[in-house]
Amino acid sequence: MSFIPHTPEDIAEMLAVIGVSAIDTLFDEIPADLRLKGLENIPEALSELEVTRLMQARARLDRPLLNFVGAGAYEHHIPAVVWQIAGRGEFYSAYTPYQAEASQGTLQVLYEFQSMMAALTALDAANASLYDGASALAEAVLMAVRANRQTHSRQVLIPRALHPAYRRVVRTLTAPQGIELIEVPFARQTGQTPVAALAEAGIDECAAVIINQPNFFGVLEEVDALTDWAHAHKALAIALVNPIALALLKPPGEWGAKGADIACGEAQPLGMPLSAGGPYAGFMCCKREHVRQLPGRIVGRTIDRDGRTGFTLTLQAREQHIRRGKATSNICTNQGLMLTAATIHLALLGAEGLERVAATCCAHTRLLAERLSAIPGVKPCFSGPCFHERALSLPAPSAAVLKALVAEGILGGFDLAQDYPELAPALLVCATELRTADEIALYAERLSAILASHR
Amino acid sequence: MLIQERSRPGRRAPAQAPLCAPEPPPIPEHLRRSSRPVLPEVSELEVVRHYTGLSQKNFSIDTQFYPLGSCTMKYNPRACHTLAMLPGFVDRHPLAPEDQGQGLSSCLYELQEILKAVTGMDAISLAPAAGAQGELAGVLMIRAYHHARGDLERTEILIPDAAHGTNPASAAMAGFEVREIPTGPDGDVDLAALRSALGPKTAGIMLTNPSTLGVFERKIQAIAEAIHAAGGLLYYDGANLNGILGQVRPGDMGFDIVHVNLHKTFATPHGGGGPGAGPVGVAAHLAPYLPLPLVERAADGRYRWLTESDRPQSIGRLTAFGGNIGVLLRAYVYARLLGREGLGRVAKFAVLNANYLAARLRAAGFTLAYPERRVSHEFILTLKPEAKAFGVSAMDIAKRLLDYGHHAPTTYFPLLVPECLLIEPTETESKQTLDDFVEAMIAIRREAEQDPELPKNAPHHLPVRRLDEVHAARHLDLAWRSKSSEGDHG
């Protein structure tokens, strides 16, 4: 198929204006020995109908599973309005809003998004999104090291009860700048990261402490004490939070005596489909005094020549197209379309709707944990208070159990044995507002049967 | 008006949340939120009207010509969107087992093969979430390669002064020092300056070809030879790949590493600033360092995802899961729709359009920055003569173009050329659209001559007049606050 509109007459007229006889002549500055004969290894073109058949056949290969996994990507109801509107061509096919006057729609959406995230986190400022939650956390670490004027330390405390993939991403993106990540253990009984564990890291000062609420196990941390410890040790407090949980939990800006300095997280639960892992969107908020260290795009409200309100990208002097090698980060695009969806999603839900989603997820996960824990040998790993995920220990190898569940059409949880051998065999499970009581009962029944056959 | 300002206490869009709230969860009091965040309280119809209204305040590819140089704004085929959103793909949890995702994996594997074919590289990872993350992955691989050989003294990355700003920023993020290489008067890299910058500290060079000056770097083979002789690697910035697709491959020019902006060359939507995707390709000697995960086809024909245990020398993971899968699927569908022939045609018509537009503007009296060179898929006009004669800037003309219904070209980039517009029409625009643009440019220059206040005060016909960027930076207003919360966090 071709999306090229040229007729033979167009081509002839255009070549005449240029003054060449053939399109190939236009490539005459390329050394002849480099010119390609053709693109081997690429299949012939398909019609739209043929591609449709191909993709439908492949999509059918990927069997839908009844999903009880969260672990950083959450299946929530996405109101029909969200993508009907976010998918409009004027949002979908627009570019980064460099010409502000021609991009007021995108710019206002970004400003509304920043406002909503600042409200949710109780911080002063937000950027217009980053790639995903994990890379946003890495950027937060880099930002904290830049912004911290009290210490020259390049050490950052990172909880072991933090998503294993997030820890890997933070390492990839911060190690080249000489940042040292010091892992802080969790308490085996509660699943929380104790303040005492921070002290045991054995350092007088550090650049930042990452505080994860809820943590990877779904357990709620004592955020006030952790934040105060960070500030007492000249460190900035970086909050990693779930935006749905912020409907019910104390916002980072109110943690401890002074509040967390930076908050970041994964915006996927706000209207983004699971989509096998992306595209998602990272968000980042901070206190006013750190705003010039905030990476990525930022939209500001301003006025036009007639004094009317309008919106434009601002603080661009921090960015790569102006400061180049000295920019706050190399991030050029953000995840504009994804947070257009997030903004519409939050507008539809409002604070009360978000609270209902959060409370329903908590209730469903609680029910799931109760049902599963009633099976002999299954019990909660931790005693700490939880949000909408639970770690459960099993009486049989978790990988084999998960495989047997998949055969029943159930995606039964995240296998904690891979990254936390000390907890094995154990699963991390989640039931969002989408899971019904019947589905939860079905899971319990199948798990019970599978475990019985293992005995 | 902001959605927040449409809010009325107690107004709801009730169909969108679970019908009734269950018992509040047993969260300890000191971890609970004490007051509700101030979010909009609006009806569903208000939401639909508000955001539909905002969409209408945007220029976009679906509504306007968007000749934004180096950004490659071409048509985003709708089939790509529809087919990437099939339930088997869009509802899939990233941690679902790979034997239940063979359909998705086969698409991604084949996309890797297609990207190998068009770049001339030996291996591809689809992991980077955007072009700039692809750049970062590229320089991290340069670092990993040298370190693996015990070559720890290579601390410098060379970058031409015309390069995209992300290049130096990515190199700095990867812990390198940046050394700028000047451009010669003909638009090619100053080879003598490059040679004198090479040495034992050279880790590599970041180049794009065609360059952002809109010309093909003719001495690329000599550059590659010189860098390799000095022990450095060549990194190709794929931002301009659309201009050579099917005509010449980075791998054949001597590049060791390539990134591809799928949202540019493979026509996935820009979405108002993302999501993009920036796969990286490498020559065989760099394959062990590719970012994770990547898809492999096993001997039995099954697809599997390679992880840390398969690739211990990998630079690691860049996002939590497998990258921007939804974007990758769109690119795959695009590539299958165009096929071998169609992908080979892309650059021909992108270059035809650019040369035609340049020839017509030149004939109309505008000044090309590099008139003696063949135009690639994009070209630079310098409006210095107009600025001098009429006192109007390139920005004034750009803003006036908006009134004529065309998005402005890239302004003031590359930085080397004064009062410049970087114009890239792409292959999906018709001759008629290009002719309209030329007529608009001619009309605006006439205005500049006869009534310079007209372009200087542009735009006149958009939702807002010229916006005050200095005001925005001096009076930072980054988030709306309700009257009642002003005292709390202000």
Side-chain angles (χ1 to χ4, degrees):
Chain A
M1 264 187 69
S2 176
F3 302 103
I4 292 170
H6 300 62
T7 65
E9 291 74 24
D10 289 338
I11 297 170
E13 285 176 40
M14 293 168 84
L15 289 174
V17 167
I18 300 167
V20 295
S21 57
I23 295 179
D24 263 353
T25 311
L26 301 174
F27 294 94
D28 59 5
E29 285 193 357
I30 300 178
D33 54 329
L34 289 179
R35 288 293 300 280
L36 202 58
K37 302 286 173 288
L39 288 167
E40 289 160 40
N41 299 331
I42 294 183
E44 296 288 349
L46 298 178
S47 69
E48 186 173 308
L49 172 62
E50 290 167 321
V51 179
T52 302
R53 284 197 185 119
L54 172 81
M55 294 301 280
Q56 284 173 340
R58 290 191 177 176
R60 272 195 298 271
L61 279 179
D62 297 349
R63 185 159 67 111
L65 299 168
L66 187 57
N67 177 29
F68 291 95
V69 188
Y74 301 91
E75 190 182 5
H76 291 289
H77 173 63
I78 301 174
V81 165
V82 171
W83 283 100
Q84 289 254 332
I85 304 294
R88 284 178 64 95
E90 301 93 325
F91 286 132
Y92 184 77
S93 73
Y95 192 64
T96 306
Y98 289 135
Q99 293 292 340
E101 297 83 0
S103 312
Q104 285 299 295
T106 288
L107 285 162
Q108 185 173 331
V109 168
L110 299 176
Y111 179 88
E112 291 180 1
F113 172 79
Q114 291 173 188
S115 304
M116 291 178 188
M117 296 320 294
L120 274 175
T121 57
L123 286 163
D124 303 311
N127 71 8
S129 84
L130 298 164
Y131 305 132
D132 80 332
S135 58
L137 179 62
E139 290 286 347
V141 167
L142 296 172
M143 175 181 166
V145 172
R146 280 195 305 272
N148 195 328
R149 292 175 200 282
Q150 285 191 285
T151 172
H152 293 294
S153 169
R154 295 184 85 79
Q155 295 181 312
V156 171
L157 299 187
I158 183 166
R160 185 165 160 71
L162 178 73
H163 198 304
Y166 279 47
R167 282 183 279 142
R168 291 188 191 111
V169 172
V170 172
R171 198 178 310 128
T172 303
L173 298 176
T174 64
Q177 298 194 37
I179 291 169
E180 188 191 348
L181 301 174
I182 298 170
E183 207 160 85
V184 180
F186 57 88
R188 183 62 189 81
Q189 213 236 317
T190 62
Q192 290 171 318
T193 306
V195 175
L198 301 182
E200 279 160 23
I203 50 176
D204 293 335
E205 297 180 2
C206 57
V209 178
I210 298 170
I211 305 167
N212 192 190
Q213 184 75 328
N215 71 22
F216 182 62
F217 306 124
V219 175
L220 297 176
E221 301 279 13
E222 291 294 336
V223 289
D224 295 329
L226 294 167
T227 304
D228 288 341
W229 188 94
H231 289 147
H233 292 77
K234 300 187 178 177
L236 297 191
I238 300 172
L240 179 71
V241 287
N242 175 316
I244 300 276
L246 288 178
L248 294 173
L249 299 180
K250 185 189 276 189
E254 296 171 12
W255 291 0
K258 293 199 287 186
D261 303 275
I262 303 168
C264 61
E266 175 58 75
Q268 178 273 330
L270 304 174
M272 286 158 233
L274 289 171
S275 194
Y280 295 170
F283 63 86
M284 194 186 288
C285 306
C286 71
K287 290 183 182 169
R288 188 174 305 273
E289 66 249 44
H290 302 310
V291 76
R292 277 162 212 281
Q293 297 299 335
L294 197 58
R297 302 291 185 202
I298 301 174
V299 175
R301 183 150 57 166
T302 187
I303 47 171
D304 75 357
R305 270 195 191 165
D306 297 338
R308 276 180 303 179
T309 289
F311 302 89
T312 183
L313 293 175
T314 193
L315 296 179
Q316 293 189 79
R318 313 159 297 120
E319 289 191 77
Q320 32 73 30
H321 55 280
I322 295 180
R323 291 207 79 206
R324 296 173 75 87
K326 293 187 169 60
T328 49
S329 85
N330 71 331
I331 287 168
C332 180
T333 51
N334 55 345
Q335 301 288 98
L337 193 67
M338 310 322 285
L339 62 86
T340 301
T343 308
I344 298 171
H345 191 83
L346 280 172
L348 283 168
L349 285 173
E352 197 204 357
L354 199 66
E355 227 173 75
R356 283 190 195 183
V357 173
T360 311
C361 292
C362 288
H364 288 185
T365 301
R366 202 161 68 241
L367 176 66
L368 174 69
E370 278 166 17
R371 287 296 183 87
L372 299 185
S373 300
I375 301 168
V378 179
K379 56 179 193 301
C381 289
F382 304 117
S383 63
C386 283
F387 192 70
H388 67 351
E389 282 185 283
R390 289 281 194 292
L392 300 173
S393 71
L394 296 183
S398 35
V401 170
L402 283 175
K403 206 169 171 195
L405 282 166
V406 165
E408 306 272 355
I410 294 172
L411 193 55
F414 176 84
D415 184 2
L416 287 168
Q418 314 160 66
D419 297 283
Y420 301 94
E422 68 271 38
L423 301 176
L427 295 182
L428 184 68
V429 298
C430 173
T432 64
E433 81 280 8
L434 293 186
R435 293 289 75 85
T436 63
D438 285 350
E439 289 168 343
I440 289 168
L442 177 75
Y443 181 20
E445 180 201 309
R446 296 293 147 89
L447 180 64
S448 176
I450 289 165
L451 290 176
S453 70
H454 264 88
R455 226 168 271 129
Chain B
M1 185 185 262
L2 295 167
I3 191 77
Q4 284 87 353
E5 292 161 345
R6 294 186 192 276
S7 182
R8 292 293 175 273
R11 195 172 284 165
R12 297 280 182 270
Q16 309 307 349
L19 271 186
C20 53
E23 287 291 293
I27 294 169
E29 185 60 32
H30 68 288
L31 299 179
R32 286 183 152 273
R33 190 164 194 130
S34 57
S35 63
R36 274 191 178 156
V38 181
L39 292 177
E41 298 181 70
V42 286
S43 71
E44 182 168 324
L45 175 59
E46 283 175 304
V47 169
V48 169
R49 245 178 225 164
H50 178 78
Y51 290 103
T52 302
L54 287 187
S55 78
Q56 291 168 337
K57 292 184 175 185
N58 261 6
F59 278 34
S60 70
I61 270 294
D62 283 4
T63 50
Q64 265 92 4
F65 179 43
Y66 225 106
L68 208 48
S70 257
C71 301
T72 313
M73 295 293 286
K74 56 171 139 174
Y75 172 58
N76 306 133
R78 279 304 189 278
C80 304
H81 175 66
T82 302
L83 299 177
M85 299 293 274
L86 291 172
F89 304 134
V90 84
D91 296 337
R92 180 179 167 76
H93 194 282
L95 299 169
E98 60 192 10
D99 57 357
Q100 301 292 323
Q102 291 290 305
L104 173 70
S105 299
S106 65
C107 295
L108 299 181
Y109 178 81
E110 288 170 20
L111 178 61
Q112 289 175 186
E113 294 298 303
I114 289 165
L115 293 176
K116 275 159 68 175
V118 300
T119 59
M121 306 313 282
D122 297 314
I124 296 274
S125 164
L126 303 173
Q133 214 186 33
E135 287 179 29
L136 178 63
V139 277
L140 287 174
M141 285 192 277
I142 292 179
R143 184 186 160 94
Y145 170 82
H146 292 308
H147 283 201
R149 293 154 49 95
D151 202 351
L152 304 177
E153 305 303 315
R154 296 191 177 270
T155 51
E156 277 181 5
I157 293 276
L158 311 181
I159 300 180
D161 53 3
H164 297 107
T166 43
N167 288 177
S170 297
M173 277 198 70
F176 286 108
E177 282 155 42
V178 173
R179 193 154 168 183
E180 242 183 39
I181 304 297
T183 303
D186 60 356
D188 286 340
V189 166
D190 182 337
L191 199 55
L194 172 68
R195 288 209 168 103
S196 70
L198 290 170
K201 285 179 150 184
T202 305
I205 186 166
M206 300 176 83
L207 277 175
T208 182
N209 197 14
S211 72
T212 54
L213 301 173
V215 296
F216 189 86
E217 174 61 63
R218 293 167 293 189
K219 289 172 281 189
I220 185 61
Q221 289 154 304
I223 293 173
E225 208 172 296
I227 305 282
H228 285 145
L233 297 174
L234 263 79
Y235 170 86
Y236 183 85
D237 179 324
N240 294 342
L241 185 67
N242 203 60
I244 56 165
L245 197 68
Q247 304 305 312
V248 53
R249 308 188 302 177
D252 300 336
M253 293 186 232
F255 285 92
D256 302 283
I257 304 175
V258 171
H259 93 258
V260 183
N261 304 73
L262 294 181
H263 45 290
K264 298 182 181 180
T265 307
F266 285 76
T268 65
H270 288 68
V280 278
V282 291
H285 56 290
L286 289 157
Y289 311 110
L290 281 170
L292 295 169
L294 46 131
V295 190
E296 184 193 61
R297 189 174 186 191
D300 63 358
R302 304 288 289 173
Y303 298 93
R304 56 185 289 268
W305 288 83
L306 300 184
T307 63
E308 284 78 357
S309 53
D310 306 292
R311 292 288 178 99
Q313 287 185 288
S314 163
I315 58 161
R317 282 173 193 266
L318 300 165
T319 60
F321 302 109
N324 283 344
I325 305 284
V327 178
L328 301 173
L329 285 172
R330 283 166 174 78
Y332 174 71
V333 174
Y334 177 79
R336 297 303 306 266
L337 282 171
L338 266 64
R340 185 187 305 159
E341 288 277 303
L343 286 174
R345 230 177 355 246
V346 162
K348 289 189 177 186
F349 285 85
V351 169
L352 175 66
N353 274 0
N355 276 277
Y356 172 72
L357 196 53
R360 283 218 54 198
L361 287 167
R362 189 182 189 179
F366 287 97
T367 309
L368 293 180
Y370 295 93
E372 75 285 6
R373 296 294 305 272
R374 188 73 80 191
V375 163
S376 68
H377 63 299
E378 61 188 358
F379 62 94
I380 303 173
L381 282 191
T382 172
L383 297 170
K384 208 175 159 192
E386 285 78 4
K388 210 169 162 190
F390 316 127
V392 297
S393 66
M395 187 58 83
D396 296 331
I397 290 176
K399 297 296 184 194
R400 187 63 179 146
L401 274 168
L402 304 177
D403 279 333
Y404 278 82
H406 299 299
H407 194 278
T410 299
T411 49
Y412 301 108
F413 178 81
L415 307 168
L416 329 184
V417 181
E419 297 298 330
C420 72
L421 298 181
L422 180 60
I423 304 176
E424 179 179 2
T426 81
E427 72 278 8
T428 57
E429 298 299 338
S430 69
K431 177 175 174 293
Q432 286 70 29
T433 302
L434 306 183
D435 290 338
D436 286 350
F437 181 78
V438 173
E439 295 311 319
M441 287 291 288
I442 293 171
I444 293 169
R445 199 179 42 190
R446 197 178 310 123
E447 290 170 359
E449 193 178 355
Q450 293 166 358
D451 181 10
E453 292 309 304
L454 193 59
K456 280 164 106 169
N457 288 314
H460 299 273
H461 308 309
L462 293 180
V464 287
R465 303 270 315 273
R466 192 86 60 99
L467 286 161
D468 190 342
E469 292 185 11
V470 175
H471 179 95
R474 290 222 180 114
H475 305 89
L476 273 189
D477 175 356
L478 309 180
W480 176 87
R481 298 232 174 262
S482 68
K483 292 276 183 298
S484 63
S485 68
E486 210 115 274
D488 302 344
H489 319 294

